[in-house]
Amino acid sequence: MMDVEDVSRVFQGLEDALQKVEVARGDAKQYAEQSEAFMQHLQGVSEQIEGSDPRLAAFGHKLSQEETFASKSSELRSLFATKPEARTFNSKY
């Protein structure tokens, strides 16, 4: 069984790995690499975390935000890759 410090290190490792994914958002190749590294790390520690740990909910929220970003980015990239005329739209952003 892991002690409090071990569990804290696991969560800090997950936070660090997810932060690397977030930082890489502007570079699709690096984003994919960091995402893969994060998923491998997550799989490696998933059994070490108790489902009742309150930090899991907060981390799950951050993870769902990143999943939403990845999903929307993928949709936009596929739209631009398949419809070159879509690149000329006006946006208020």
Side-chain angles (χ1 to χ4, degrees):
M1 186 167 175
M2 293 176 37
D3 64 18
V4 174
E5 287 182 24
D6 291 336
V7 174
S8 292
R9 277 193 292 273
V10 167
F11 274 102
Q12 188 58 54
L14 288 171
E15 293 282 346
D16 292 346
L18 188 58
Q19 180 67 32
K20 288 179 182 178
V21 172
E22 292 173 4
V23 168
R25 283 182 174 181
D27 182 337
K29 182 179 177 188
Q30 187 177 17
Y31 185 81
E33 291 170 359
Q34 291 299 329
S35 295
E36 179 64 29
F38 170 78
M39 290 305 295
Q40 288 176 357
H41 185 72
L42 181 61
Q43 289 172 348
V45 299
S46 63
E47 293 182 10
Q48 298 174 355
I49 300 171
E50 289 187 37
S52 62
D53 193 309
R55 292 172 288 190
L56 195 56
F59 184 76
H61 180 70
K62 290 179 186 177
L63 188 57
S64 68
Q65 288 177 322
E66 198 59 39
E67 190 276 332
T68 300
F69 172 82
S71 176
K72 294 299 181 186
S73 292
S74 177
E75 288 175 21
L76 288 171
R77 281 192 302 274
S78 65
L79 174 67
F80 287 125
T82 58
K83 296 184 178 189
E85 67 276 3
R87 294 181 198 167
T88 60
F89 67 91
N90 290 328
S91 173
K92 63 179 180 179
Y93 300 105

